[in-house]
Amino acid sequence: MTVFDDLVGQDQATAVLRRASAAAREVVEGGRGAGMTHAWLFTGPPGSGREDAARAFAAALMCPDGGCGHCDQCHQVLIGSHPDLESVRPEGLSYSVKQTRELILRAAGAPTQGRWRVILFEDADRATESAANALLKAIEEPPPRTVWLLCAPALDDLMITIRSRCRAVNLTTPGTEAVAHVLATRDSVPWETATFAARAAQGHISRARALALDEGVRRRREAVLGIPRSLTGVGECISAAERLVKTAEEEAAAATTTLNESETTDLRRLYGEGSTGKGLNRGLVRGGAGALKELEDRQKSRATRIKRDSLDSALLELVSFYRDVLAMQFGAGVELANDDIRFDLDQLARACTPEETLRRIDAIMQCRERLGANVNPQIAVEAMMLALRP
Protein backbone atom coordinates (compact mmCIF):
# COMPACT_ATOMS: atom_id res chain seq x y z
CA MET A 1 0.00 0.00 0.00
CA THR A 2 1.38 3.43 -0.97
CA VAL A 3 0.40 6.98 -0.01
CA PHE A 4 -1.50 7.28 -3.31
CA ASP A 5 -3.84 4.37 -2.58
CA ASP A 6 -6.13 6.61 -0.49
CA LEU A 7 -6.93 8.84 -3.50
CA VAL A 8 -10.34 7.41 -4.34
CA GLY A 9 -11.24 7.54 -8.02
CA GLN A 10 -8.25 9.71 -9.01
CA ASP A 11 -6.35 7.31 -11.28
CA GLN A 12 -5.24 9.93 -13.80
CA ALA A 13 -3.99 12.38 -11.18
CA THR A 14 -2.26 9.55 -9.32
CA ALA A 15 -0.36 8.53 -12.44
CA VAL A 16 0.90 12.09 -12.92
CA LEU A 17 2.02 12.37 -9.30
CA ARG A 18 3.78 9.00 -9.36
CA ARG A 19 5.82 10.05 -12.40
CA ALA A 20 6.65 13.40 -10.82
CA SER A 21 7.79 11.80 -7.55
CA ALA A 22 10.06 9.49 -9.55
CA ALA A 23 11.50 12.53 -11.31
CA ALA A 24 12.02 14.20 -7.93
CA ARG A 25 14.11 11.23 -6.79
CA GLU A 26 16.29 11.68 -9.86
CA VAL A 27 16.86 15.32 -8.91
CA VAL A 28 17.85 14.35 -5.36
CA GLU A 29 20.28 11.79 -6.79
CA GLY A 30 21.83 14.36 -9.10
CA GLY A 31 19.89 13.61 -12.28
CA ARG A 32 17.82 15.87 -14.52
CA GLY A 33 14.45 14.78 -13.18
CA ALA A 34 12.42 15.64 -16.28
CA GLY A 35 8.78 16.19 -15.34
CA MET A 36 9.48 17.60 -11.88
CA THR A 37 8.47 21.20 -11.24
CA HIS A 38 8.67 23.41 -8.17
CA ALA A 39 5.07 24.67 -8.17
CA TRP A 40 1.90 22.59 -8.34
CA LEU A 41 -1.76 23.55 -8.32
CA PHE A 42 -4.31 20.97 -7.15
CA THR A 43 -7.88 21.80 -8.19
CA GLY A 44 -11.21 20.03 -7.92
CA PRO A 45 -14.71 20.37 -6.45
CA PRO A 46 -15.35 20.04 -2.69
CA GLY A 47 -14.78 16.47 -1.59
CA SER A 48 -12.49 15.57 -4.47
CA GLY A 49 -9.53 15.30 -2.10
CA ARG A 50 -7.33 18.22 -3.18
CA GLU A 51 -5.51 18.42 0.14
CA ASP A 52 -5.22 14.64 0.42
CA ALA A 53 -3.62 14.44 -3.02
CA ALA A 54 -1.20 17.26 -2.20
CA ARG A 55 -0.23 15.65 1.09
CA ALA A 56 0.27 12.26 -0.57
CA PHE A 57 2.53 13.91 -3.14
CA ALA A 58 4.45 15.64 -0.33
CA ALA A 59 4.99 12.25 1.30
CA ALA A 60 6.19 10.80 -2.00
CA LEU A 61 8.70 13.65 -2.35
CA MET A 62 10.11 13.02 1.13
CA CYS A 63 10.11 9.23 0.94
CA PRO A 64 13.20 7.50 -0.50
CA ASP A 65 10.87 4.95 -2.11
CA GLY A 66 8.45 7.46 -3.64
CA GLY A 67 5.69 7.21 -1.06
CA CYS A 68 5.78 3.69 0.34
CA GLY A 69 3.22 4.62 2.99
CA HIS A 70 4.87 2.88 5.94
CA CYS A 71 8.27 4.53 6.53
CA ASP A 72 8.93 7.32 9.06
CA GLN A 73 9.07 9.97 6.33
CA CYS A 74 5.62 9.05 4.99
CA HIS A 75 4.13 8.75 8.46
CA GLN A 76 5.43 12.16 9.55
CA VAL A 77 4.08 13.87 6.44
CA LEU A 78 0.67 12.23 6.68
CA ILE A 79 0.19 13.25 10.32
CA GLY A 80 1.66 16.72 9.70
CA SER A 81 4.77 16.49 11.87
CA HIS A 82 7.53 16.36 9.24
CA PRO A 83 10.12 19.11 9.85
CA ASP A 84 10.41 19.89 6.12
CA LEU A 85 6.65 20.20 5.55
CA GLU A 86 4.99 23.58 6.08
CA SER A 87 1.24 23.08 5.99
CA VAL A 88 -0.85 26.25 5.76
CA ARG A 89 -4.61 26.50 6.03
CA PRO A 90 -6.19 29.97 6.20
CA GLU A 91 -8.60 29.96 9.13
CA GLY A 92 -10.22 33.33 8.50
CA LEU A 93 -11.93 34.94 5.57
CA SER A 94 -8.63 35.65 3.82
CA TYR A 95 -4.87 35.17 3.98
CA SER A 96 -3.00 38.45 4.37
CA VAL A 97 0.16 39.72 2.69
CA LYS A 98 1.88 39.79 6.09
CA GLN A 99 1.16 36.10 6.64
CA THR A 100 2.29 35.32 3.09
CA ARG A 101 5.60 37.12 3.51
CA GLU A 102 6.25 35.26 6.75
CA LEU A 103 5.46 32.00 4.95
CA ILE A 104 7.85 32.86 2.11
CA LEU A 105 10.65 33.48 4.61
CA ARG A 106 10.06 30.08 6.18
CA ALA A 107 9.90 28.47 2.75
CA ALA A 108 13.34 29.81 1.90
CA GLY A 109 15.02 27.57 4.46
CA ALA A 110 16.96 24.52 3.34
CA PRO A 111 15.45 21.08 4.03
CA THR A 112 16.72 19.61 7.28
CA GLN A 113 16.76 16.04 6.01
CA GLY A 114 18.41 16.67 2.66
CA ARG A 115 15.52 16.10 0.24
CA TRP A 116 12.81 18.76 -0.21
CA ARG A 117 11.23 21.67 1.62
CA VAL A 118 7.48 21.42 0.85
CA ILE A 119 4.91 24.18 1.34
CA LEU A 120 1.35 22.83 1.26
CA PHE A 121 -0.97 25.83 0.92
CA GLU A 122 -4.60 24.75 1.37
CA ASP A 123 -7.35 27.13 0.20
CA ALA A 124 -4.84 29.27 -1.67
CA ASP A 125 -7.79 31.05 -3.28
CA ARG A 126 -8.30 32.88 0.03
CA ALA A 127 -5.09 34.86 -0.44
CA THR A 128 -5.73 38.58 -0.86
CA GLU A 129 -4.58 40.29 -4.06
CA SER A 130 -1.46 41.69 -2.40
CA ALA A 131 -0.77 38.30 -0.82
CA ALA A 132 -1.15 36.61 -4.20
CA ASN A 133 1.36 39.04 -5.73
CA ALA A 134 3.86 38.24 -2.98
CA LEU A 135 3.24 34.53 -3.52
CA LEU A 136 3.84 34.93 -7.25
CA LYS A 137 7.36 36.24 -6.67
CA ALA A 138 8.18 33.25 -4.45
CA ILE A 139 6.84 30.76 -7.01
CA GLU A 140 8.72 32.41 -9.88
CA GLU A 141 12.12 31.97 -8.22
CA PRO A 142 11.91 29.27 -5.54
CA PRO A 143 15.01 27.94 -3.76
CA PRO A 144 16.41 24.82 -5.48
CA ARG A 145 14.86 22.33 -3.06
CA THR A 146 11.56 24.10 -2.27
CA VAL A 147 8.28 22.81 -3.72
CA TRP A 148 5.00 24.74 -3.53
CA LEU A 149 1.74 22.76 -3.47
CA LEU A 150 -1.28 25.06 -3.84
CA CYS A 151 -4.88 23.89 -3.48
CA ALA A 152 -7.97 25.67 -4.83
CA PRO A 153 -11.44 24.69 -6.09
CA ALA A 154 -10.76 25.80 -9.67
CA LEU A 155 -8.01 27.27 -11.84
CA ASP A 156 -9.91 30.54 -12.20
CA ASP A 157 -9.79 31.07 -8.43
CA LEU A 158 -6.12 32.09 -8.69
CA MET A 159 -4.40 34.85 -10.65
CA ILE A 160 -3.49 33.82 -14.18
CA THR A 161 0.15 34.69 -13.50
CA ILE A 162 0.24 32.15 -10.67
CA ARG A 163 -1.62 29.52 -12.67
CA SER A 164 0.78 29.86 -15.57
CA ARG A 165 3.73 29.04 -13.31
CA CYS A 166 2.19 25.95 -11.74
CA ARG A 167 1.66 22.46 -13.05
CA ALA A 168 -2.05 21.74 -12.67
CA VAL A 169 -3.48 18.51 -11.26
CA ASN A 170 -7.24 18.39 -11.69
CA LEU A 171 -9.21 16.07 -9.42
CA THR A 172 -12.75 14.83 -10.00
CA THR A 173 -15.61 13.87 -7.70
CA PRO A 174 -15.47 10.11 -7.00
CA GLY A 175 -18.56 8.01 -7.68
CA THR A 176 -21.03 6.80 -5.06
CA GLU A 177 -19.87 3.17 -5.21
CA ALA A 178 -16.20 4.12 -4.78
CA VAL A 179 -16.95 6.28 -1.73
CA ALA A 180 -19.23 3.64 -0.23
CA HIS A 181 -16.49 1.04 -0.70
CA VAL A 182 -14.06 3.24 1.27
CA LEU A 183 -16.54 3.68 4.12
CA ALA A 184 -17.33 -0.02 4.23
CA THR A 185 -13.74 -1.27 4.09
CA ARG A 186 -11.85 1.37 6.08
CA ASP A 187 -14.49 2.53 8.56
CA SER A 188 -16.46 -0.74 8.90
CA VAL A 189 -19.70 1.03 7.97
CA PRO A 190 -22.57 -1.30 6.95
CA TRP A 191 -22.98 -1.28 3.17
CA GLU A 192 -26.51 0.15 3.24
CA THR A 193 -25.44 3.04 5.47
CA ALA A 194 -22.28 3.56 3.43
CA THR A 195 -24.28 3.76 0.21
CA PHE A 196 -26.75 6.22 1.73
CA ALA A 197 -23.94 8.45 3.05
CA ALA A 198 -21.97 8.36 -0.21
CA ARG A 199 -25.05 9.23 -2.24
CA ALA A 200 -26.18 12.01 0.12
CA ALA A 201 -22.67 13.50 0.21
CA GLN A 202 -22.48 13.47 -3.61
CA GLY A 203 -18.95 12.10 -3.66
CA HIS A 204 -17.57 14.26 -0.81
CA ILE A 205 -15.64 11.65 1.18
CA SER A 206 -15.26 13.64 4.41
CA ARG A 207 -18.92 14.61 4.35
CA ALA A 208 -19.91 11.00 3.64
CA ARG A 209 -17.82 9.76 6.56
CA ALA A 210 -19.46 12.31 8.86
CA LEU A 211 -22.94 11.30 7.71
CA ALA A 212 -22.15 7.63 8.21
CA LEU A 213 -20.58 7.93 11.64
CA ASP A 214 -22.14 11.00 13.31
CA GLU A 215 -25.83 10.94 14.20
CA GLY A 216 -25.75 14.68 14.91
CA VAL A 217 -24.68 15.38 11.32
CA ARG A 218 -27.53 13.21 10.04
CA ARG A 219 -30.03 15.09 12.22
CA ARG A 220 -28.82 18.45 10.92
CA ARG A 221 -29.19 17.20 7.34
CA GLU A 222 -32.73 16.05 8.05
CA ALA A 223 -33.56 19.46 9.53
CA VAL A 224 -32.25 21.27 6.44
CA LEU A 225 -34.05 18.97 4.00
CA GLY A 226 -37.26 19.46 5.98
CA ILE A 227 -37.20 23.21 5.31
CA PRO A 228 -38.96 23.20 1.88
CA ARG A 229 -42.14 21.55 3.20
CA SER A 230 -42.22 23.87 6.25
CA LEU A 231 -42.37 27.12 4.25
CA THR A 232 -46.14 27.53 4.31
CA GLY A 233 -46.21 31.25 5.14
CA VAL A 234 -44.15 34.37 5.78
CA GLY A 235 -43.84 33.65 9.50
CA GLU A 236 -42.59 30.13 8.82
CA CYS A 237 -40.02 31.51 6.37
CA ILE A 238 -38.66 33.94 8.99
CA SER A 239 -38.54 31.19 11.62
CA ALA A 240 -36.72 28.82 9.27
CA ALA A 241 -34.15 31.52 8.51
CA GLU A 242 -33.61 32.19 12.22
CA ARG A 243 -33.08 28.50 12.94
CA LEU A 244 -30.59 28.10 10.11
CA VAL A 245 -28.53 31.13 11.11
CA LYS A 246 -28.66 30.23 14.81
CA THR A 247 -27.43 26.71 14.10
CA ALA A 248 -24.48 28.12 12.13
CA GLU A 249 -23.65 30.50 14.98
CA GLU A 250 -23.76 27.68 17.52
CA GLU A 251 -21.44 25.54 15.39
CA ALA A 252 -19.00 28.44 15.07
CA ALA A 253 -19.06 29.05 18.81
CA ALA A 254 -18.56 25.36 19.59
CA ALA A 255 -15.60 25.19 17.21
CA THR A 256 -13.85 28.35 18.41
CA THR A 257 -14.61 29.13 22.07
CA THR A 258 -12.09 26.76 23.69
CA LEU A 259 -9.44 27.49 21.05
CA ASN A 260 -9.90 31.26 21.43
CA GLU A 261 -9.47 31.07 25.19
CA SER A 262 -6.34 28.95 24.87
CA GLU A 263 -4.78 31.29 22.27
CA THR A 264 -5.57 34.39 24.32
CA THR A 265 -4.19 32.87 27.53
CA ASP A 266 -0.97 31.80 25.78
CA LEU A 267 -0.48 35.25 24.25
CA ARG A 268 -1.06 37.06 27.54
CA ARG A 269 1.40 34.74 29.25
CA LEU A 270 3.92 35.37 26.46
CA TYR A 271 3.71 39.10 27.11
CA GLY A 272 4.21 38.71 30.82
CA GLU A 273 0.78 38.55 32.40
CA GLY A 274 1.18 36.95 35.80
CA SER A 275 4.92 37.75 35.95
CA THR A 276 6.38 39.15 39.15
CA GLY A 277 8.52 42.21 39.57
CA LYS A 278 7.71 45.89 40.01
CA GLY A 279 6.25 47.35 36.79
CA LEU A 280 7.11 44.24 34.80
CA ASN A 281 3.63 42.82 34.34
CA ARG A 282 1.92 46.07 33.38
CA GLY A 283 4.59 47.12 30.90
CA LEU A 284 4.74 43.82 29.04
CA VAL A 285 0.99 43.46 28.79
CA ARG A 286 0.71 46.99 27.47
CA GLY A 287 3.40 46.20 24.93
CA GLY A 288 1.39 43.21 23.76
CA ALA A 289 -1.86 45.14 23.31
CA GLY A 290 -1.32 45.34 19.56
CA ALA A 291 -0.64 41.61 19.31
CA LEU A 292 -3.74 40.89 21.39
CA LYS A 293 -5.90 43.08 19.12
CA GLU A 294 -4.48 41.32 16.05
CA LEU A 295 -5.30 37.94 17.61
CA GLU A 296 -8.86 39.02 18.37
CA ASP A 297 -9.31 40.14 14.76
CA ARG A 298 -8.08 36.76 13.51
CA GLN A 299 -10.40 34.95 15.90
CA LYS A 300 -13.41 36.96 14.71
CA SER A 301 -12.48 36.27 11.11
CA ARG A 302 -12.15 32.56 11.87
CA ALA A 303 -15.57 32.46 13.56
CA THR A 304 -17.12 34.26 10.60
CA ARG A 305 -15.53 31.78 8.21
CA ILE A 306 -16.84 28.77 10.16
CA LYS A 307 -20.31 30.31 10.37
CA ARG A 308 -20.29 31.06 6.66
CA ASP A 309 -19.06 27.56 5.81
CA SER A 310 -21.79 26.04 7.96
CA LEU A 311 -24.46 28.12 6.22
CA ASP A 312 -23.01 27.31 2.81
CA SER A 313 -23.11 23.59 3.58
CA ALA A 314 -26.80 23.90 4.45
CA LEU A 315 -27.50 25.87 1.28
CA LEU A 316 -25.80 23.21 -0.83
CA GLU A 317 -28.03 20.59 0.83
CA LEU A 318 -31.03 22.65 -0.30
CA VAL A 319 -29.61 22.90 -3.81
CA SER A 320 -29.29 19.11 -3.92
CA PHE A 321 -32.95 18.82 -2.82
CA TYR A 322 -34.25 21.05 -5.60
CA ARG A 323 -31.86 19.49 -8.11
CA ASP A 324 -33.48 16.12 -7.33
CA VAL A 325 -36.92 17.68 -7.73
CA LEU A 326 -35.92 19.03 -11.12
CA ALA A 327 -34.56 15.65 -12.18
CA MET A 328 -37.87 14.02 -11.29
CA GLN A 329 -39.84 16.69 -13.14
CA PHE A 330 -37.86 16.02 -16.31
CA GLY A 331 -37.81 12.26 -15.81
CA ALA A 332 -34.01 12.24 -15.90
CA GLY A 333 -32.49 8.86 -15.18
CA VAL A 334 -29.88 10.14 -12.75
CA GLU A 335 -29.03 9.10 -9.21
CA LEU A 336 -30.91 11.15 -6.63
CA ALA A 337 -28.72 12.49 -3.84
CA ASN A 338 -31.71 12.46 -1.49
CA ASP A 339 -33.36 9.23 -2.53
CA ASP A 340 -34.13 8.49 1.13
CA ILE A 341 -36.80 11.25 1.05
CA ARG A 342 -38.18 10.40 -2.38
CA PHE A 343 -41.77 10.91 -1.18
CA ASP A 344 -41.08 14.59 -0.33
CA LEU A 345 -39.29 15.08 -3.63
CA ASP A 346 -42.15 13.55 -5.58
CA GLN A 347 -44.74 15.68 -3.80
CA LEU A 348 -42.97 18.93 -4.63
CA ALA A 349 -42.20 17.79 -8.18
CA ARG A 350 -45.94 17.34 -8.77
CA ALA A 351 -46.90 20.60 -7.05
CA CYS A 352 -44.76 23.01 -9.09
CA THR A 353 -43.27 23.52 -12.54
CA PRO A 354 -39.62 23.07 -13.58
CA GLU A 355 -39.43 26.85 -14.06
CA GLU A 356 -40.39 27.38 -10.42
CA THR A 357 -37.81 24.84 -9.30
CA LEU A 358 -35.11 26.62 -11.29
CA ARG A 359 -36.09 29.95 -9.73
CA ARG A 360 -35.71 28.41 -6.30
CA ILE A 361 -32.26 27.08 -7.14
CA ASP A 362 -31.33 30.55 -8.42
CA ALA A 363 -32.55 32.06 -5.12
CA ILE A 364 -30.29 29.73 -3.13
CA MET A 365 -27.28 30.50 -5.31
CA GLN A 366 -27.98 34.22 -5.00
CA CYS A 367 -28.04 33.83 -1.22
CA ARG A 368 -24.61 32.17 -1.38
CA GLU A 369 -23.30 35.11 -3.40
CA ARG A 370 -24.73 37.60 -0.91
CA LEU A 371 -23.14 35.81 2.02
CA GLY A 372 -19.84 35.88 0.15
CA ALA A 373 -20.26 39.65 -0.25
CA ASN A 374 -20.73 40.05 3.55
CA VAL A 375 -24.47 40.73 3.46
CA ASN A 376 -26.05 40.27 6.90
CA PRO A 377 -26.73 36.49 7.11
CA GLN A 378 -30.17 36.85 8.66
CA ILE A 379 -31.33 39.23 5.92
CA ALA A 380 -29.84 37.13 3.11
CA VAL A 381 -31.32 33.87 4.38
CA GLU A 382 -34.75 35.43 5.05
CA ALA A 383 -34.89 36.73 1.47
CA MET A 384 -34.00 33.25 0.21
CA MET A 385 -36.64 31.54 2.34
CA LEU A 386 -39.33 33.89 1.05
CA ALA A 387 -38.26 33.07 -2.52
CA LEU A 388 -38.53 29.34 -1.78
CA ARG A 389 -42.08 29.61 -0.47
CA PRO A 390 -44.69 27.90 -2.71
Side-chain angles (χ1 to χ4, degrees), residues 13 15-21 23-24 35-43 54 57 61 118-121 124 139 146-152 155 158 162-163 165-170:
V16 171
L17 297 176
R18 286 184 187 278
R19 289 194 296 269
S21 61
M36 177 58 190
T37 183
H38 288 267
W40 294 75
L41 176 56
F42 294 80
T43 62
F57 184 45
L61 292 176
V118 179
I119 313 300
L120 199 170
F121 195 164
I139 291 176
T146 296
V147 179
W148 288 85
L149 309 180
L150 311 181
C151 301
L155 289 172
L158 293 179
I162 290 181
R163 301 195 316 253
R165 288 161 176 79
C166 296
R167 185 171 180 183
V169 178
N170 184 48

Coordinates of all heavy atoms in Angstrom, one line a residue, residues 13 15-21 23-24 35-43 54 57 61 118-121 124 139 146-152 155 158 162-163 165-170:
A13 N -4.8 11.5 -12.0 CA -4.0 12.4 -11.2 C -2.9 11.6 -10.5 O -1.7 12.0 -10.4 CB -4.9 13.1 -10.2
A15 N -1.4 8.9 -11.5 CA -0.4 8.5 -12.4 C 0.6 9.7 -12.7 O 1.8 9.5 -12.7 CB -1.0 8.1 -13.8
V16 N 0.1 10.9 -12.8 CA 0.9 12.1 -12.9 C 1.8 12.3 -11.7 O 3.0 12.5 -11.8 CB 0.0 13.3 -13.1 CG1 0.9 14.6 -13.1 CG2 -0.7 13.3 -14.5
L17 N 1.2 12.1 -10.5 CA 2.0 12.4 -9.3 C 3.1 11.3 -9.1 O 4.2 11.6 -8.6 CB 1.1 12.4 -8.1 CG 0.1 13.6 -8.1 CD1 -0.9 13.5 -7.0 CD2 0.8 14.9 -8.1
R18 N 2.8 10.1 -9.5 CA 3.8 9.0 -9.4 C 5.0 9.3 -10.3 O 6.1 9.1 -9.8 CB 3.2 7.7 -9.7 CG 2.2 7.1 -8.7 CD 1.8 5.7 -9.2 NE 0.7 5.1 -8.3 CZ 0.9 4.5 -7.1 NH1 2.2 4.4 -6.7 NH2 -0.1 4.0 -6.4
R19 N 4.7 9.7 -11.5 CA 5.8 10.0 -12.4 C 6.6 11.2 -11.9 O 7.9 11.2 -12.0 CB 5.3 10.4 -13.8 CG 4.7 9.1 -14.5 CD 4.5 9.4 -16.0 NE 3.5 10.5 -16.2 CZ 2.2 10.2 -16.4 NH1 1.7 9.0 -16.3 NH2 1.4 11.2 -16.6
A20 N 5.9 12.2 -11.3 CA 6.7 13.4 -10.8 C 7.5 13.0 -9.6 O 8.6 13.6 -9.4 CB 5.6 14.5 -10.5
S21 N 7.0 12.2 -8.7 CA 7.8 11.8 -7.6 C 9.0 11.0 -8.0 O 10.1 11.1 -7.3 CB 6.9 11.0 -6.6 OG 6.5 9.8 -7.2
A23 N 10.6 11.5 -10.8 CA 11.5 12.5 -11.3 C 12.2 13.3 -10.2 O 13.3 13.7 -10.3 CB 10.7 13.5 -12.2
A24 N 11.4 13.5 -9.1 CA 12.0 14.2 -7.9 C 13.2 13.4 -7.3 O 14.2 14.0 -6.9 CB 10.9 14.4 -6.9
G35 N 10.2 16.4 -15.8 CA 8.8 16.2 -15.3 C 8.5 16.7 -13.9 O 7.4 16.7 -13.5
M36 N 9.6 17.0 -13.2 CA 9.5 17.6 -11.9 C 9.5 19.1 -12.0 O 10.3 19.7 -12.6 CB 10.6 17.1 -11.0 CG 10.6 17.7 -9.6 SD 9.1 17.4 -8.7 CE 9.2 18.4 -7.3
T37 N 8.5 19.7 -11.3 CA 8.5 21.2 -11.2 C 8.4 21.6 -9.8 O 8.0 20.8 -8.9 CB 7.3 21.7 -12.1 OG1 7.3 23.1 -12.1 CG2 6.0 21.2 -11.5
H38 N 8.6 22.9 -9.6 CA 8.7 23.4 -8.2 C 7.4 24.1 -7.7 O 7.3 24.6 -6.6 CB 9.8 24.4 -8.0 CG 11.2 23.7 -8.0 ND1 11.8 23.3 -6.9 CD2 12.0 23.4 -9.1 CE1 13.0 22.8 -7.2 NE2 13.1 22.8 -8.6
A39 N 6.4 24.1 -8.6 CA 5.1 24.7 -8.2 C 3.9 23.9 -8.8 O 3.9 23.6 -10.0 CB 5.0 26.1 -8.6
W40 N 3.0 23.4 -7.9 CA 1.9 22.6 -8.3 C 0.6 23.2 -7.9 O 0.5 23.8 -6.8 CB 2.0 21.2 -7.8 CG 3.2 20.4 -8.3 CD1 4.5 20.6 -8.0 CD2 3.2 19.4 -9.2 NE1 5.3 19.7 -8.6 CE2 4.5 18.9 -9.4 CE3 2.2 18.7 -9.9 CZ2 4.9 17.9 -10.3 CZ3 2.5 17.7 -10.8 CH2 3.8 17.3 -11.0
L41 N -0.4 23.0 -8.7 CA -1.8 23.6 -8.3 C -2.8 22.4 -8.4 O -3.0 21.9 -9.5 CB -2.2 24.7 -9.3 CG -3.6 25.3 -9.1 CD1 -3.8 25.7 -7.6 CD2 -3.8 26.4 -10.1
F42 N -3.3 22.0 -7.2 CA -4.3 21.0 -7.1 C -5.7 21.6 -7.1 O -6.0 22.4 -6.2 CB -4.1 20.1 -5.9 CG -2.8 19.4 -5.9 CD1 -1.6 20.0 -5.5 CD2 -2.8 18.0 -6.2 CE1 -0.4 19.3 -5.5 CE2 -1.6 17.3 -6.2 CZ -0.4 17.9 -5.8
T43 N -6.5 21.2 -8.1 CA -7.9 21.8 -8.2 C -8.9 20.7 -8.2 O -8.6 19.5 -8.6 CB -8.0 22.7 -9.4 OG1 -7.9 21.9 -10.6 CG2 -7.0 23.8 -9.4
A54 N -2.4 16.5 -2.4 CA -1.2 17.3 -2.2 C -0.3 16.7 -1.1 O 0.9 16.6 -1.2 CB -1.6 18.7 -1.9
F57 N 1.4 13.6 -2.3 CA 2.5 13.9 -3.1 C 3.7 14.4 -2.3 O 4.9 14.1 -2.6 CB 2.1 15.0 -4.1 CG 3.2 15.4 -5.1 CD1 3.9 14.4 -5.8 CD2 3.4 16.7 -5.4 CE1 4.9 14.7 -6.7 CE2 4.4 17.0 -6.4 CZ 5.1 16.1 -7.0
L61 N 7.5 12.9 -2.2 CA 8.7 13.6 -2.3 C 9.7 13.4 -1.2 O 10.9 13.3 -1.5 CB 8.4 15.1 -2.4 CG 7.6 15.6 -3.6 CD1 7.2 17.1 -3.5 CD2 8.3 15.4 -4.9
V118 N 8.8 21.4 1.5 CA 7.5 21.4 0.8 C 6.5 22.4 1.6 O 6.4 22.3 2.8 CB 6.9 20.0 0.8 CG1 5.5 20.1 0.1 CG2 7.8 19.1 0.0
I119 N 5.9 23.3 0.8 CA 4.9 24.2 1.3 C 3.6 23.8 0.8 O 3.3 23.9 -0.4 CB 5.2 25.6 0.9 CG1 6.7 26.0 1.2 CG2 4.3 26.6 1.7 CD1 7.1 25.8 2.6
L120 N 2.7 23.3 1.7 CA 1.4 22.8 1.3 C 0.4 23.9 1.7 O 0.1 24.1 2.8 CB 1.0 21.5 1.9 CG -0.1 20.7 1.3 CD1 -0.2 19.3 2.0 CD2 -1.5 21.3 1.4
F121 N -0.1 24.7 0.7 CA -1.0 25.8 0.9 C -2.4 25.5 0.6 O -2.8 25.5 -0.6 CB -0.5 27.0 0.0 CG -1.0 28.3 0.4 CD1 -0.4 29.5 0.0 CD2 -2.2 28.5 1.2 CE1 -0.9 30.8 0.3 CE2 -2.7 29.7 1.6 CZ -2.1 30.8 1.1
A124 N -5.7 28.2 -1.2 CA -4.8 29.3 -1.7 C -5.7 30.4 -2.3 O -5.2 31.5 -2.4 CB -3.8 28.7 -2.7
I139 N 7.0 31.9 -6.1 CA 6.8 30.8 -7.0 C 7.7 30.9 -8.2 O 8.2 29.9 -8.8 CB 5.4 30.6 -7.4 CG1 4.6 30.2 -6.2 CG2 5.2 29.6 -8.6 CD1 3.1 30.1 -6.4
T146 N 12.9 23.7 -2.8 CA 11.6 24.1 -2.3 C 10.5 23.8 -3.3 O 10.6 24.1 -4.5 CB 11.5 25.6 -1.9 OG1 12.4 25.8 -0.8 CG2 10.1 26.0 -1.4
V147 N 9.4 23.1 -2.9 CA 8.3 22.8 -3.7 C 7.0 23.4 -3.1 O 6.7 23.2 -1.9 CB 8.1 21.3 -3.9 CG1 6.9 21.0 -4.8 CG2 9.4 20.7 -4.4
W148 N 6.3 24.1 -3.9 CA 5.0 24.7 -3.5 C 3.8 23.9 -4.0 O 3.8 23.5 -5.2 CB 4.8 26.2 -4.1 CG 5.7 27.2 -3.4 CD1 7.0 27.4 -3.8 CD2 5.4 28.0 -2.4 NE1 7.5 28.4 -2.9 CE2 6.6 28.8 -2.1 CE3 4.3 28.2 -1.6 CZ2 6.6 29.8 -1.1 CZ3 4.3 29.2 -0.6 CH2 5.4 29.9 -0.3
L149 N 2.9 23.5 -3.1 CA 1.7 22.8 -3.5 C 0.5 23.6 -3.1 O 0.2 23.8 -1.9 CB 1.7 21.4 -2.7 CG 3.0 20.5 -2.8 CD1 2.7 19.2 -2.0 CD2 3.3 20.2 -4.3
L150 N -0.1 24.2 -4.1 CA -1.3 25.1 -3.8 C -2.6 24.3 -4.1 O -2.6 23.5 -5.0 CB -1.2 26.3 -4.7 CG 0.1 27.1 -4.8 CD1 0.0 28.3 -5.7 CD2 0.5 27.5 -3.4
C151 N -3.6 24.5 -3.3 CA -4.9 23.9 -3.5 C -6.0 24.9 -3.6 O -6.0 25.9 -2.9 CB -5.2 23.0 -2.3 SG -4.0 21.7 -1.9
A152 N -6.9 24.8 -4.6 CA -8.0 25.7 -4.8 C -9.1 24.9 -5.5 O -8.8 23.9 -6.2 CB -7.5 26.9 -5.7
L155 N -9.1 26.5 -11.3 CA -8.0 27.3 -11.8 C -8.3 28.8 -11.8 O -7.4 29.6 -11.5 CB -7.7 26.8 -13.3 CG -7.1 25.5 -13.5 CD1 -7.0 25.1 -15.0 CD2 -5.7 25.4 -12.9
L158 N -7.4 31.5 -8.9 CA -6.1 32.1 -8.7 C -5.7 33.0 -9.9 O -6.2 32.8 -11.0 CB -5.0 31.0 -8.5 CG -5.2 30.2 -7.2 CD1 -4.0 29.1 -7.2 CD2 -5.1 31.0 -6.0
I162 N -0.1 33.3 -11.5 CA 0.2 32.2 -10.7 C -0.1 30.8 -11.4 O 0.7 29.9 -11.4 CB -0.5 32.2 -9.3 CG1 0.0 33.4 -8.5 CG2 -0.4 30.9 -8.5 CD1 -0.6 33.6 -7.1
R163 N -1.2 30.8 -12.0 CA -1.6 29.5 -12.7 C -0.6 29.1 -13.7 O -0.3 28.0 -13.9 CB -3.0 29.7 -13.3 CG -4.1 30.0 -12.3 CD -5.5 29.8 -12.9 NE -5.7 30.3 -14.3 CZ -6.4 31.4 -14.6 NH1 -6.9 32.1 -13.6 NH2 -6.5 31.7 -15.9
R165 N 2.4 29.5 -13.8 CA 3.7 29.0 -13.3 C 3.6 27.8 -12.5 O 4.6 27.3 -11.9 CB 4.4 30.2 -12.5 CG 4.9 31.3 -13.3 CD 5.1 32.6 -12.5 NE 5.6 33.6 -13.4 CZ 5.0 34.4 -14.2 NH1 3.7 34.2 -14.4 NH2 5.5 35.3 -14.9
C166 N 2.4 27.2 -12.5 CA 2.2 25.9 -11.7 C 1.8 24.8 -12.7 O 1.2 25.1 -13.7 CB 1.0 26.1 -10.7 SG 1.4 27.3 -9.4
R167 N 2.1 23.6 -12.3 CA 1.7 22.5 -13.0 C 0.3 22.0 -12.4 O 0.3 21.8 -11.2 CB 2.7 21.3 -13.0 CG 2.2 20.1 -13.8 CD 3.3 19.1 -13.9 NE 2.9 18.0 -14.7 CZ 3.7 16.9 -14.9 NH1 4.9 16.8 -14.4 NH2 3.2 15.9 -15.7
A168 N -0.7 22.0 -13.2 CA -2.1 21.7 -12.7 C -2.3 20.2 -12.6 O -2.0 19.5 -13.5 CB -3.1 22.4 -13.5
V169 N -3.0 19.9 -11.5 CA -3.5 18.5 -11.3 C -5.0 18.6 -10.9 O -5.3 19.1 -9.9 CB -2.7 17.8 -10.1 CG1 -3.3 16.4 -9.9 CG2 -1.3 17.7 -10.4
N170 N -5.8 18.2 -11.9 CA -7.2 18.4 -11.7 C -7.8 17.1 -11.2 O -7.6 16.0 -11.7 CB -7.9 18.8 -13.0 CG -9.4 19.0 -12.8 OD1 -9.8 19.8 -11.9 ND2 -10.2 18.4 -13.7

